[in-house]
Amino acid sequence: MKEVKSPKRPLLYYYCIVLLIIFLFNLLVTPLLTQNHVVNVDYGTFMDMIDEGDIGIVQVEDTQIIFTNKDDTQIYETAPMEDPSLTERLHNCGAKFDRVIEEPTSPILSFLLTFVLPILIFVGLGQYMSKKMMEQAGGKNSMSFGLGKSNAKVYVQSTKGIRFADVAGEDEAKESLQEIVDYLHDPSKYTEAGATMPKGILLVGPPGTGKTMLAKAVAGESNVPFFSISGSEFVEMFVGMGASKVRDLFKQAKEKAPCIVFIDEIDAIGQKRNSGSGYGGNDEREQTLNQLLTEMDGFEENTGVIILAATNRPESLDPALTRPGRFDRRVPVELPDLQGREAILKVHAKKIRPAEDVDFHTIARMAAGASGAELANIINEAALRAVRNGRTIVTQSDLEESIEVVIAGYQKKNAVLSDQEKKVVAYHEIGHALVAAKQTNSAPVQKITIIPRTSGALGYTMQVETGDKFLMSKEEIENKIATYTGGRAAEEVVFGSVTTGASNDIEQATKLARAMITRYGMSEEFDMVAMETVQNQYLGGDTSLACAPDTQRDIDRKVVELVKKQHGKAIKILQDNRSKLDELAGFLYEKETITGDEFMDILTGGDKQ
Ligand code: ADP
């Protein structure tokens, strides 16, 4: 449960506003300070005005003559000329000799008004804005811009905190963490027995599996304060600031002991340090990590400060972090199994009003491989869909549709496929389904649709695993590859041509075929030799090659051979079932979405082949 912070506006934004205010201020105030606008005229005009008696007040100086018209509505200025009779003529025309322009405002006052005041406004507003921003960032007491203080937030979770019961599934993880709860409730039991609690516990697993929830649940169950900070928050722009945040965090934690300190994404600071490379390393991160290690070593065992950390890249952590006395206990938090998925769906369904006939077991089966966060999202999407349709009750079809939304993106209602394209997509999808259904070991089809998705997929076949599978036989993988090639095979069989629609299938089929050879030891040629190793098992499972270039070439050849063989098998299946292929594709083309039952009805009924 991440906290949503209100977006912070950059300081520059505020300074722009202040500059604008000053600009407007000058625009308004300056004209007030300067006198009425003076019109410069030549001496001839001045003479004419005297002759016409149109002079009000006049002020004759050595370098200029300033005067007004009769009504005193305008001030004029002209250069003086050698004119001895001027005074007399002016007198005759009724001009008054006086000061036309008042003493200009005191220079000090005008300096104050035009320079000092705007600067004071500028600085004052700047100070006010930055204070506001700091308050927003939650660092009221921190030094300017939170320098040197950690942003660790204190969650004092007493009665309404998250409990283990809120975390569905994950029984093994909960069991390992229960001991911590027990210890925090009664530390003396452990000290008397001479047992020491591990200082740090590493929660390891893919994103969205409930690691943060579990950490909060430990604090909730033990009724102790919960400090939470993300590893990435430690990584600061200036060297040394991350380290000072660590120091501050542990200082606060020790004051509040017993308590739980939770560091999310610890890999952001805990990555392996670059040995050897003297330059170019990330000094800031290393200093932060060193500080963390020092702090962990520094406090006594059984002080009551338990550090929980979460990561989805355990292999990238510095060994110094995982050695005994630091994060020496590792708790795996895996993707939920079928039972776990159903339990998570049910936990989140408490927030919505499901219809009587909603079957969470089926939904859980359909959402194979989904994480807890994705399952929570599925429930929420279903509720949103119900509201969109003017209902408050969530139905089974809302849930089924939202699985597709979460997995494949929204339906793209206005995407217009040409008639021919729609036909190709229908054959393509039926191709997959038919090849899958005709191979005994393939999972049955749940639903096929050719309504385009925002993710870019034009069609979509949802397969349902009948139960959780931990092992796959060689034949099952081969069948899966054949199923992937089934879409393209249908295009070839029916249209004699191919389209770009199979790119994702090709990628998946190749990945599987390659894994069979390089990782699963399923080829005679390479036997049980590991040619590739998995790097990030929780994040997509990138692999790295570990073999000679010649071997790589042989592997590539073998992969092509394997995929080709299955592709051939798919073509054969479709050719042998051509009439069913046409019938099913025609039906899908008409209806756009068909269920697995409808598919099986057509496949098994009618003209048996
Ligand atoms: P992680 O820290 O592993 O990335 P989180 O703990 O932040 O995952 O989980 C994200 C959200 O997913 C949670 O807020 C919760 O709604 C949901 N969730 C994940 N796992 C579970 C679970 N086992 N039971 C109930 N909800 C879960």
PDB file of all heavy atoms in Angstrom, residues 407-412 415 417 425 429 451-460 500-501 503-504:
ATOM      1  N   ILE A 407      -4.855  -8.370 -18.214  1.00  0.00           N
ATOM      2  CA  ILE A 407      -3.832  -9.116 -18.933  1.00  0.00           C
ATOM      3  C   ILE A 407      -3.601  -8.561 -20.347  1.00  0.00           C
ATOM      4  O   ILE A 407      -2.480  -8.434 -20.790  1.00  0.00           O
ATOM      5  CB  ILE A 407      -4.173 -10.623 -18.966  1.00  0.00           C
ATOM      6  CG1 ILE A 407      -4.118 -11.163 -17.525  1.00  0.00           C
ATOM      7  CG2 ILE A 407      -3.205 -11.400 -19.846  1.00  0.00           C
ATOM      8  CD1 ILE A 407      -4.690 -12.525 -17.373  1.00  0.00           C
ATOM      9  N   ALA A 408      -4.668  -8.220 -21.037  1.00  0.00           N
ATOM     10  CA  ALA A 408      -4.494  -7.851 -22.450  1.00  0.00           C
ATOM     11  C   ALA A 408      -4.882  -6.415 -22.787  1.00  0.00           C
ATOM     12  O   ALA A 408      -4.834  -6.015 -23.923  1.00  0.00           O
ATOM     13  CB  ALA A 408      -5.308  -8.819 -23.309  1.00  0.00           C
ATOM     14  N   GLY A 409      -5.274  -5.635 -21.819  1.00  0.00           N
ATOM     15  CA  GLY A 409      -5.645  -4.239 -22.116  1.00  0.00           C
ATOM     16  C   GLY A 409      -7.133  -4.114 -22.416  1.00  0.00           C
ATOM     17  O   GLY A 409      -7.833  -5.109 -22.570  1.00  0.00           O
ATOM     18  N   TYR A 410      -7.590  -2.877 -22.494  1.00  0.00           N
ATOM     19  CA  TYR A 410      -9.009  -2.622 -22.737  1.00  0.00           C
ATOM     20  C   TYR A 410      -9.427  -3.024 -24.140  1.00  0.00           C
ATOM     21  O   TYR A 410      -8.638  -3.027 -25.050  1.00  0.00           O
ATOM     22  CB  TYR A 410      -9.306  -1.124 -22.584  1.00  0.00           C
ATOM     23  CG  TYR A 410      -9.464  -0.695 -21.177  1.00  0.00           C
ATOM     24  CD1 TYR A 410      -8.414  -0.125 -20.492  1.00  0.00           C
ATOM     25  CD2 TYR A 410     -10.664  -0.881 -20.523  1.00  0.00           C
ATOM     26  CE1 TYR A 410      -8.554   0.265 -19.180  1.00  0.00           C
ATOM     27  CE2 TYR A 410     -10.818  -0.486 -19.210  1.00  0.00           C
ATOM     28  CZ  TYR A 410      -9.754   0.083 -18.550  1.00  0.00           C
ATOM     29  OH  TYR A 410      -9.900   0.471 -17.253  1.00  0.00           O
ATOM     30  N   GLN A 411     -10.729  -3.306 -24.287  1.00  0.00           N
ATOM     31  CA  GLN A 411     -11.271  -3.534 -25.627  1.00  0.00           C
ATOM     32  C   GLN A 411     -11.165  -2.231 -26.385  1.00  0.00           C
ATOM     33  O   GLN A 411     -11.508  -1.179 -25.872  1.00  0.00           O
ATOM     34  CB  GLN A 411     -12.749  -3.894 -25.532  1.00  0.00           C
ATOM     35  CG  GLN A 411     -13.000  -5.305 -25.153  1.00  0.00           C
ATOM     36  CD  GLN A 411     -14.473  -5.657 -25.262  1.00  0.00           C
ATOM     37  OE1 GLN A 411     -15.267  -4.893 -25.781  1.00  0.00           O
ATOM     38  NE2 GLN A 411     -14.817  -6.829 -24.790  1.00  0.00           N
ATOM     39  N   LYS A 412     -10.696  -2.313 -27.610  1.00  0.00           N
ATOM     40  CA  LYS A 412     -10.579  -1.107 -28.417  1.00  0.00           C
ATOM     41  C   LYS A 412     -11.832  -1.047 -29.266  1.00  0.00           C
ATOM     42  O   LYS A 412     -11.872  -1.581 -30.370  1.00  0.00           O
ATOM     43  CB  LYS A 412      -9.318  -1.217 -29.274  1.00  0.00           C
ATOM     44  CG  LYS A 412      -8.614   0.072 -29.478  1.00  0.00           C
ATOM     45  CD  LYS A 412      -7.320  -0.235 -30.172  1.00  0.00           C
ATOM     46  CE  LYS A 412      -6.555   0.989 -30.529  1.00  0.00           C
ATOM     47  NZ  LYS A 412      -5.318   0.626 -31.185  1.00  0.00           N
ATOM     48  N   ALA A 415     -11.691   0.453 -32.876  1.00  0.00           N
ATOM     49  CA  ALA A 415     -10.705   0.003 -33.853  1.00  0.00           C
ATOM     50  C   ALA A 415     -11.447  -0.720 -34.976  1.00  0.00           C
ATOM     51  O   ALA A 415     -12.187  -1.662 -34.734  1.00  0.00           O
ATOM     52  CB  ALA A 415      -9.715  -0.943 -33.192  1.00  0.00           C
ATOM     53  N   LEU A 417     -11.383  -3.019 -38.041  1.00  0.00           N
ATOM     54  CA  LEU A 417     -10.611  -3.964 -38.845  1.00  0.00           C
ATOM     55  C   LEU A 417     -11.327  -4.106 -40.173  1.00  0.00           C
ATOM     56  O   LEU A 417     -12.554  -4.124 -40.220  1.00  0.00           O
ATOM     57  CB  LEU A 417     -10.584  -5.329 -38.171  1.00  0.00           C
ATOM     58  CG  LEU A 417      -9.726  -5.524 -36.934  1.00  0.00           C
ATOM     59  CD1 LEU A 417      -9.746  -6.984 -36.544  1.00  0.00           C
ATOM     60  CD2 LEU A 417      -8.304  -5.085 -37.196  1.00  0.00           C
ATOM     61  N   VAL A 425      -7.801 -12.667 -38.713  1.00  0.00           N
ATOM     62  CA  VAL A 425      -7.656 -12.773 -37.252  1.00  0.00           C
ATOM     63  C   VAL A 425      -8.504 -13.936 -36.727  1.00  0.00           C
ATOM     64  O   VAL A 425      -8.057 -14.694 -35.860  1.00  0.00           O
ATOM     65  CB  VAL A 425      -8.056 -11.447 -36.550  1.00  0.00           C
ATOM     66  CG1 VAL A 425      -7.972 -11.600 -35.042  1.00  0.00           C
ATOM     67  CG2 VAL A 425      -7.160 -10.312 -37.001  1.00  0.00           C
ATOM     68  N   GLU A 429      -6.836 -17.034 -34.665  1.00  0.00           N
ATOM     69  CA  GLU A 429      -7.181 -17.425 -33.293  1.00  0.00           C
ATOM     70  C   GLU A 429      -7.716 -18.855 -33.237  1.00  0.00           C
ATOM     71  O   GLU A 429      -7.376 -19.619 -32.337  1.00  0.00           O
ATOM     72  CB  GLU A 429      -8.207 -16.453 -32.690  1.00  0.00           C
ATOM     73  CG  GLU A 429      -7.681 -15.056 -32.471  1.00  0.00           C
ATOM     74  CD  GLU A 429      -6.398 -15.012 -31.651  1.00  0.00           C
ATOM     75  OE1 GLU A 429      -6.265 -15.799 -30.696  1.00  0.00           O
ATOM     76  OE2 GLU A 429      -5.518 -14.203 -31.980  1.00  0.00           O
ATOM     77  N   ILE A 451     -12.082  -9.176 -30.691  1.00  0.00           N
ATOM     78  CA  ILE A 451     -12.256  -7.738 -30.462  1.00  0.00           C
ATOM     79  C   ILE A 451     -10.870  -7.191 -30.110  1.00  0.00           C
ATOM     80  O   ILE A 451     -10.248  -7.653 -29.155  1.00  0.00           O
ATOM     81  CB  ILE A 451     -13.244  -7.468 -29.301  1.00  0.00           C
ATOM     82  CG1 ILE A 451     -14.603  -8.041 -29.673  1.00  0.00           C
ATOM     83  CG2 ILE A 451     -13.342  -5.983 -29.008  1.00  0.00           C
ATOM     84  CD1 ILE A 451     -15.605  -8.047 -28.549  1.00  0.00           C
ATOM     85  N   PRO A 452     -10.381  -6.224 -30.907  1.00  0.00           N
ATOM     86  CA  PRO A 452      -9.013  -5.745 -30.655  1.00  0.00           C
ATOM     87  C   PRO A 452      -8.855  -5.155 -29.268  1.00  0.00           C
ATOM     88  O   PRO A 452      -9.797  -4.623 -28.690  1.00  0.00           O
ATOM     89  CB  PRO A 452      -8.807  -4.662 -31.711  1.00  0.00           C
ATOM     90  CG  PRO A 452      -9.831  -4.905 -32.731  1.00  0.00           C
ATOM     91  CD  PRO A 452     -10.989  -5.529 -32.043  1.00  0.00           C
ATOM     92  N   ARG A 453      -7.649  -5.283 -28.753  1.00  0.00           N
ATOM     93  CA  ARG A 453      -7.330  -4.778 -27.410  1.00  0.00           C
ATOM     94  C   ARG A 453      -6.426  -3.577 -27.533  1.00  0.00           C
ATOM     95  O   ARG A 453      -5.684  -3.442 -28.499  1.00  0.00           O
ATOM     96  CB  ARG A 453      -6.564  -5.869 -26.631  1.00  0.00           C
ATOM     97  CG  ARG A 453      -7.347  -7.119 -26.429  1.00  0.00           C
ATOM     98  CD  ARG A 453      -8.135  -7.015 -25.179  1.00  0.00           C
ATOM     99  NE  ARG A 453      -9.397  -7.725 -25.317  1.00  0.00           N
ATOM    100  CZ  ARG A 453     -10.326  -7.704 -24.398  1.00  0.00           C
ATOM    101  NH1 ARG A 453     -10.168  -7.004 -23.310  1.00  0.00           N
ATOM    102  NH2 ARG A 453     -11.446  -8.349 -24.567  1.00  0.00           N
ATOM    103  N   THR A 454      -6.456  -2.717 -26.471  1.00  0.00           N
ATOM    104  CA  THR A 454      -5.578  -1.534 -26.528  1.00  0.00           C
ATOM    105  C   THR A 454      -4.108  -1.934 -26.506  1.00  0.00           C
ATOM    106  O   THR A 454      -3.258  -1.170 -26.900  1.00  0.00           O
ATOM    107  CB  THR A 454      -5.847  -0.598 -25.335  1.00  0.00           C
ATOM    108  OG1 THR A 454      -5.977  -1.395 -24.183  1.00  0.00           O
ATOM    109  CG2 THR A 454      -7.084   0.230 -25.553  1.00  0.00           C
ATOM    110  N   SER A 455      -3.817  -3.135 -26.019  1.00  0.00           N
ATOM    111  CA  SER A 455      -2.421  -3.555 -25.985  1.00  0.00           C
ATOM    112  C   SER A 455      -1.885  -3.814 -27.380  1.00  0.00           C
ATOM    113  O   SER A 455      -0.699  -4.033 -27.562  1.00  0.00           O
ATOM    114  CB  SER A 455      -2.293  -4.820 -25.153  1.00  0.00           C
ATOM    115  OG  SER A 455      -3.000  -5.856 -25.782  1.00  0.00           O
ATOM    116  N   GLY A 456      -2.744  -3.826 -28.371  1.00  0.00           N
ATOM    117  CA  GLY A 456      -2.283  -4.054 -29.738  1.00  0.00           C
ATOM    118  C   GLY A 456      -2.677  -5.423 -30.261  1.00  0.00           C
ATOM    119  O   GLY A 456      -2.618  -5.686 -31.459  1.00  0.00           O
ATOM    120  N   ALA A 457      -3.066  -6.346 -29.321  1.00  0.00           N
ATOM    121  CA  ALA A 457      -3.466  -7.678 -29.767  1.00  0.00           C
ATOM    122  C   ALA A 457      -4.792  -7.575 -30.520  1.00  0.00           C
ATOM    123  O   ALA A 457      -5.724  -6.923 -30.056  1.00  0.00           O
ATOM    124  CB  ALA A 457      -3.619  -8.589 -28.565  1.00  0.00           C
ATOM    125  N   LEU A 458      -4.846  -8.199 -31.670  1.00  0.00           N
ATOM    126  CA  LEU A 458      -6.086  -8.119 -32.459  1.00  0.00           C
ATOM    127  C   LEU A 458      -7.063  -9.211 -32.043  1.00  0.00           C
ATOM    128  O   LEU A 458      -8.266  -9.081 -32.168  1.00  0.00           O
ATOM    129  CB  LEU A 458      -5.770  -8.243 -33.953  1.00  0.00           C
ATOM    130  CG  LEU A 458      -4.928  -7.089 -34.517  1.00  0.00           C
ATOM    131  CD1 LEU A 458      -4.573  -7.340 -35.962  1.00  0.00           C
ATOM    132  CD2 LEU A 458      -5.655  -5.766 -34.378  1.00  0.00           C
ATOM    133  N   GLY A 459      -6.522 -10.290 -31.573  1.00  0.00           N
ATOM    134  CA  GLY A 459      -7.379 -11.386 -31.110  1.00  0.00           C
ATOM    135  C   GLY A 459      -6.784 -11.938 -29.835  1.00  0.00           C
ATOM    136  O   GLY A 459      -5.692 -11.565 -29.430  1.00  0.00           O
ATOM    137  N   TYR A 460      -7.493 -12.849 -29.208  1.00  0.00           N
ATOM    138  CA  TYR A 460      -7.026 -13.277 -27.905  1.00  0.00           C
ATOM    139  C   TYR A 460      -7.664 -14.619 -27.567  1.00  0.00           C
ATOM    140  O   TYR A 460      -8.884 -14.762 -27.671  1.00  0.00           O
ATOM    141  CB  TYR A 460      -7.428 -12.189 -26.910  1.00  0.00           C
ATOM    142  CG  TYR A 460      -7.046 -12.471 -25.494  1.00  0.00           C
ATOM    143  CD1 TYR A 460      -5.716 -12.534 -25.139  1.00  0.00           C
ATOM    144  CD2 TYR A 460      -8.017 -12.644 -24.520  1.00  0.00           C
ATOM    145  CE1 TYR A 460      -5.367 -12.772 -23.839  1.00  0.00           C
ATOM    146  CE2 TYR A 460      -7.662 -12.884 -23.222  1.00  0.00           C
ATOM    147  CZ  TYR A 460      -6.346 -12.940 -22.877  1.00  0.00           C
ATOM    148  OH  TYR A 460      -5.997 -13.177 -21.593  1.00  0.00           O
ATOM    149  N   THR A 500       1.782 -10.169 -40.329  1.00  0.00           N
ATOM    150  CA  THR A 500       2.666  -9.808 -39.202  1.00  0.00           C
ATOM    151  C   THR A 500       2.056 -10.196 -37.859  1.00  0.00           C
ATOM    152  O   THR A 500       2.687 -10.031 -36.822  1.00  0.00           O
ATOM    153  CB  THR A 500       2.894  -8.277 -39.177  1.00  0.00           C
ATOM    154  OG1 THR A 500       1.612  -7.642 -39.190  1.00  0.00           O
ATOM    155  CG2 THR A 500       3.726  -7.805 -40.343  1.00  0.00           C
ATOM    156  N   GLY A 501       0.816 -10.686 -37.875  1.00  0.00           N
ATOM    157  CA  GLY A 501       0.081 -10.958 -36.635  1.00  0.00           C
ATOM    158  C   GLY A 501       0.713 -11.973 -35.709  1.00  0.00           C
ATOM    159  O   GLY A 501       0.310 -12.085 -34.551  1.00  0.00           O
ATOM    160  N   SER A 503       3.867 -12.174 -34.603  1.00  0.00           N
ATOM    161  CA  SER A 503       5.183 -11.834 -34.037  1.00  0.00           C
ATOM    162  C   SER A 503       5.335 -12.271 -32.580  1.00  0.00           C
ATOM    163  O   SER A 503       6.376 -12.801 -32.188  1.00  0.00           O
ATOM    164  CB  SER A 503       5.460 -10.351 -34.192  1.00  0.00           C
ATOM    165  OG  SER A 503       4.471  -9.628 -33.497  1.00  0.00           O
ATOM    166  N   ASN A 504       4.302 -12.068 -31.780  1.00  0.00           N
ATOM    167  CA  ASN A 504       4.398 -12.446 -30.370  1.00  0.00           C
ATOM    168  C   ASN A 504       4.470 -13.968 -30.230  1.00  0.00           C
ATOM    169  O   ASN A 504       5.229 -14.500 -29.416  1.00  0.00           O
ATOM    170  CB  ASN A 504       3.200 -11.878 -29.597  1.00  0.00           C
ATOM    171  CG  ASN A 504       3.360 -12.086 -28.114  1.00  0.00           C
ATOM    172  OD1 ASN A 504       4.445 -11.920 -27.584  1.00  0.00           O
ATOM    173  ND2 ASN A 504       2.280 -12.481 -27.457  1.00  0.00           N
TER     174      ASN A 504
END
